[in-house]
Amino acid sequence: MTLAIKTDHVGRIYKKKSPKRKAASGAEPRTLTALDGVTLEVPKGELFGLLGPNGAGKTTLIKILTTLLTPSTGHAEVEGFDVVRNAKQVRERINMVSGGETSGYGLLTVRENLWMFAQFYGIPTKEAYRRADALLETLELSHMRDTRVSGLSTGERQRMNFCRGFITEPNVLFLDEPTLGLDVNIARITRSFTRRWLREHPDRTVLLTTHYMAEADELCDRIAIIDHGRVIACDTPVNLKRLLQRQPIFEITAGGLDATNIAEMRGTRGVIQLTESFEPAAGHHILNFILEDESALPAVVGVLAGTGGHLVTLGKHEPTLEDVFVKLVGRSLKEDIAE
Amino acid sequence: MTHVSPVALFFRTVRARAAPRIWGMKREPSWIFLEVMVPIVSTTAFVYLYRSLHAPEAYIGFVILGAVISAYWLNVVWAMAMQLHWEKKEGMLQLYVLSPTSLMAVLVGMSYGGIIMASSRAVVTLAAGIWLFDVKLSTNELPMVFLIFGVTLVALYGLGMTLSSLFLPWGREAWHLALAFHEPAFFLTGMNFPLSKLFSTVPGIISFVSAMIPVSFGLDAMRQLLLPSKIPGVFAPSTELLALAGLAVLFLVTAYVALQRMEYKARVEASLTLRG
Ligand SMILES: Nc1ncnc2c1ncn2[C@@H]1O[C@H](COP(=O)(O)OP(=O)(O)OP(=O)(O)O)[C@@H](O)[C@H]1O
Ligand SMILES: [Mg+2]
């Protein structure tokens, strides 16, 4: 099976353009290592996510894979074609959408712009308009199709960009923070559309970067977490969350319990850890169970009922990607966004 | 992935990239005023200047043809030379580069759109010359005139494409240089007077620079054919046509090579986009 994307120890060093060369502080390095030995393999059909704080090197990696930038070290392939030596073959097979891009000519309408971009991929006019109309419909932008691009809001423009990415039916689509600036509803539409597109075309591939944990978690088959230009973890969201060595956590609020009952529950098979606290006002115990897996839950609830206690609430907490991220990167992604 | 022949892709790109210019023209009516009326005013000024100086009446025709060609020249300097740099600022350049089409096709498309725009101005200027200033054009050698005109445009826009690819990395500084060169170019190309007068007065090196600008010989040849008068051309029109064809090939090849190199250089140096 050919891989959609393969990178082999890809590194990228930027020359820093210092605005004013400070004569004294010559010690400051002139170069910046944006990527350092990135090795990834993305099979066809996958929706692969890149997650990382600002400046981690996500966009740099996308630029290398879309032939906009040469790697300083290592090499990269898209659908088996080298991004430097076979750039032409790579370009025939890809497209890219970045959040906040301002592409398109203001005097042209949305539909005309999409037609224009399709021409650069050799798509016949009729077919281009057909695809444009269908995409605009899906992204709820049909009413704007004859509006000039100069008259679009940021979110509308971004939806047009999204259409631009899909209109060429690329084998590998790169989405660099595609939901930036979209409201919750539209962001959801773009996500479910991306998913559906992959389902309908199982040999296509999407590589996506995002700042939104929930988006990565909900959308991606696999995720690479990168920081300071290095891949520090790469796995499915579920496996990543297991990295924390934290099993499913359930919180149970129950009434009518005493110490013996609780000890009995602690001894139930599959319970790794149980912490408890008591709320005197309500007469309730709050119990936190860490279980080996979810199948241990019925037994726990059974013991509770058997001891004469009664269940008030039952809630499940799984470790989130956010937890994984904090653990691996050492800081929260949310702090980055706030900056 | 769409399967398309390189030739079809080239022409689709040309047409698509010309579209914003051509459609945009229709959508910005104020453009008509700026692009068409203002130049006529400046041409008219030259006509009255020559009349008040009692210059030979043939000069009026020379000025009008000069104004016709200058429409294309201005388009090259103002719209072509900096175009790739602008596209970079708008974030369009990277989308061109990552698409399977060639930057050459994109530039040819811009040129095509630019020629259509400049032509509206050229036609109005020519009409004004014929009706307002009573310029009489000879129609004896029209096929040759059109041939020379066509080759001149190819060479001229080839020059524009070359400038555009050279200005990509150098940006604004280079453009200021081009603008500084812009006024002397009017003089060097004999836009408002016979080229032979220039060639007979300035040193050879300046004549050479003049000859490298496609407008010079193009205009000189067309004047000889359309305005038979006692004012001689620099060379026979057929000789000038040959020189123009040479320039056309030279500039197209230079543009092609420069684009390849600039693109690669930009990929290495991370300068296809402005950082922001
Ligand atoms: N053209 C450039 N020249 C010099 N340094 C650059 C250039 N482009 C990016 N960098 C630097 O390289 C590092 C990686 O940047 P990159 O844009 O890849 O990060 P990112 O992960 O996409 O970040 P963000 O989440 O903010 O989009 C950053 O430190 C950035 O400042
Ligand atoms: Mg980025």
Side-chain angles (χ1 to χ4, degrees):
Chain A
M1 181 192 56
T2 25
L3 291 167
I5 297 166
K6 182 173 179 304
T7 70
D8 183 13
H9 294 90
V10 164
R12 172 71 208 194
I13 294 168
Y14 288 116
K15 276 206 199 78
K16 270 205 241 177
K17 285 166 232 141
S18 43
K20 259 182 218 145
R21 208 158 290 164
K22 284 167 255 163
S25 61
E28 204 186 317
R30 292 269 167 75
T31 58
L32 184 144
T33 304
L35 288 178
D36 186 7
V38 171
T39 300
L40 288 173
E41 293 193 342
V42 181
K44 281 189 185 178
E46 206 165 65
L47 206 168
F48 189 86
L50 289 177
L51 196 61
N54 286 139
K58 305 179 295 291
T59 300
T60 301
L61 184 57
I62 285 197
K63 281 186 177 168
I64 288 174
L65 292 171
T66 52
T67 78
L68 295 174
L69 198 65
T70 53
S72 309
T73 55
H75 68 267
E77 288 175 7
V78 173
E79 295 219 321
F81 293 100
D82 187 282
V83 294
V84 179
R85 273 177 292 124
N86 309 114
K88 170 93 170 128
Q89 284 87 339
V90 172
R91 290 169 183 172
E92 284 167 357
R93 290 166 172 79
I94 60 165
N95 206 341
M96 176 184 79
V97 178
S98 337
E101 69 177 56
T102 54
S103 61
Y105 295 103
L107 281 172
L108 298 192
T109 67
V110 169
R111 203 166 176 259
E112 288 165 347
N113 258 298
L114 291 174
W115 166 80
M116 182 190 75
F117 281 111
Q119 297 312 292
F120 304 147
Y121 290 75
I123 297 163
T125 291
K126 247 193 182 160
E127 175 66 11
Y129 280 129
R130 191 190 62 74
R131 290 186 197 176
D133 291 343
L135 284 165
L136 290 170
E137 178 79 45
T138 311
L139 287 160
E140 302 185 3
L141 207 61
S142 287
H143 61 291
M144 290 297 223
R145 71 173 216 186
D146 296 319
T147 306
R148 288 187 197 172
V149 169
S150 54
L152 296 185
S153 75
T154 312
E156 288 159 353
R157 207 173 236 265
Q158 185 54 10
R159 269 183 278 167
M160 179 187 79
N161 295 336
F162 205 77
C163 296
R164 177 184 63 66
F166 283 92
I167 199 170
T168 64
E169 303 201 332
N171 292 4
V172 183
L173 179 61
F174 296 88
L175 301 174
D176 195 357
E177 313 208 19
T179 53
L180 200 77
L182 296 183
D183 64 42
V184 180
N185 185 34
I186 299 296
R188 188 164 49 231
I189 291 171
T190 65
R191 282 198 284 269
S192 65
F193 176 73
T194 307
R195 262 273 153 236
R196 199 175 77 213
W197 187 74
L198 277 177
R199 217 170 27 246
E200 286 167 3
H201 309 279
D203 56 340
R204 307 257 170 94
T205 310
V206 173
L207 185 141
L208 162 137
T209 77
T210 180
H211 260 118
Y212 304 113
M213 271 317 163
E215 181 169 275
D217 199 349
E218 170 196 328
L219 207 53
C220 298
D221 297 315
R222 283 197 307 144
I223 293 171
I225 294 182
I226 70 174
D227 189 33
H228 296 305
R230 288 170 172 275
V231 176
I232 52 179
C234 177
D235 215 326
T236 60
V238 172
N239 284 344
L240 279 176
K241 284 180 268 187
R242 289 216 182 106
L243 271 184
L244 274 180
Q245 302 293 59
R246 277 172 59 181
Q247 284 71 22
I249 308 164
F250 289 91
E251 189 186 83
I252 290 178
T253 314
L257 294 177
D258 61 28
T260 350
N261 306 144
I262 292 171
E264 199 178 331
M265 278 189 271
R266 187 169 279 131
T268 310
R269 258 186 72 126
V271 176
I272 296 172
Q273 212 191 336
L274 167 59
T275 51
E276 47 127 337
S277 60
F278 185 65
E279 279 193 354
H284 290 161
H285 276 89
I286 297 171
L287 309 169
N288 248 303
F289 290 87
I290 299 179
L291 303 180
E292 258 163 25
D293 55 54
E294 291 181 12
S295 64
L297 185 62
V300 171
V301 177
V303 171
L304 173 71
T307 58
H310 62 273
L311 188 65
V312 181
T313 65
L314 170 65
K316 182 183 170 196
H317 309 278
E318 269 186 293
T320 59
L321 271 186
E322 175 73 27
D323 298 325
V324 180
F325 192 87
V326 172
K327 162 110 179 191
L328 291 173
V329 177
R331 59 190 183 277
S332 165
L333 197 54
K334 284 181 187 138
E335 291 165 21
D336 275 352
I337 301 167
E339 269 167 23
Chain B
M1 165 178 176
T2 313
H3 294 277
V4 57
S5 79
V7 178
L9 183 58
F10 188 90
F11 284 108
R12 284 195 179 282
T13 301
V14 169
R15 190 175 54 156
R17 185 55 191 84
R21 290 202 161 171
I22 297 169
W23 294 343
M25 216 166 87
K26 286 187 248 162
R27 290 173 194 178
E28 291 273 88
S30 64
W31 175 90
I32 301 288
F33 176 77
L34 284 174
E35 290 291 304
V36 178
M37 300 321 276
V38 172
I40 287 185
V41 172
S42 74
T43 306
T44 307
F46 255 105
V47 170
Y48 285 115
L49 179 70
Y50 279 147
R51 285 206 172 138
S52 69
L53 292 174
H54 304 292
E57 195 57 17
Y59 270 55
I60 308 299
F62 274 54
V63 167
I64 296 297
L65 284 189
V68 167
I69 291 292
S70 78
Y72 299 96
W73 170 252
L74 290 171
N75 181 251
V76 163
V77 172
W78 287 99
M80 280 301 290
M82 277 297 281
Q83 191 67 41
L84 283 185
H85 189 72
W86 281 324
E87 304 270 354
K88 171 166 138 181
K89 280 179 92 171
E90 298 296 318
M92 289 290 291
L93 182 63
Q94 60 166 340
L95 297 180
Y96 289 132
V97 171
L98 71 81
S99 81
T101 201
S102 62
L103 279 179
M104 191 73 181
V106 172
L107 279 178
V108 171
M110 288 171 191
S111 302
Y112 171 53
I115 287 173
I116 302 282
M117 271 171 87
S119 291
S120 58
R121 178 173 180 166
V123 166
V124 173
T125 309
L126 192 63
I130 292 171
W131 283 303
L132 296 182
F133 307 119
D134 209 21
V135 170
K136 299 221 166 22
L137 299 178
S138 155
T139 51
N140 293 338
E141 306 219 44
L142 273 190
M144 183 68 166
V145 169
F146 280 116
L147 182 63
I148 288 173
F149 178 64
V151 175
T152 303
L153 285 190
V154 174
L156 182 58
Y157 280 83
L159 172 64
M161 287 158 65
T162 302
L163 292 177
S164 199
S165 44
L166 294 180
F167 288 3
L168 178 56
W170 291 316
R172 293 211 72 82
E173 296 82 2
W175 194 48
H176 287 308
L177 205 81
L179 286 188
F181 189 62
H182 172 222
E183 276 301 318
F186 266 80
F187 169 71
L188 280 176
T189 54
M191 215 81 87
N192 292 312
F193 55 84
L195 189 66
S196 54
K197 287 267 187 279
L198 179 86
F199 273 52
S200 61
T201 42
V202 298
I205 177 75
I206 295 187
S207 300
F208 177 76
V209 173
S210 162
M212 290 301 287
I213 305 174
V215 167
S216 307
F217 281 163
L219 192 52
D220 195 55
M222 285 167 64
R223 281 170 175 166
Q224 293 182 57
L225 297 170
L226 287 171
L227 302 164
S229 69
K230 302 212 168 59
I231 305 164
V234 176
F235 299 110
S238 55
T239 312
E240 293 182 332
L241 175 62
L242 223 64
L244 286 167
L247 288 179
V249 173
L250 173 73
F251 287 134
L252 287 179
V253 170
T254 312
Y256 181 79
V257 173
L259 275 177
Q260 303 273 315
R261 297 188 63 126
M262 290 309 158
E263 185 195 312
Y264 188 74
K265 189 170 169 305
R267 287 170 66 196
V268 172
E269 294 176 0
S271 55
L272 282 173
T273 43
L274 290 183
R275 284 188 63 209

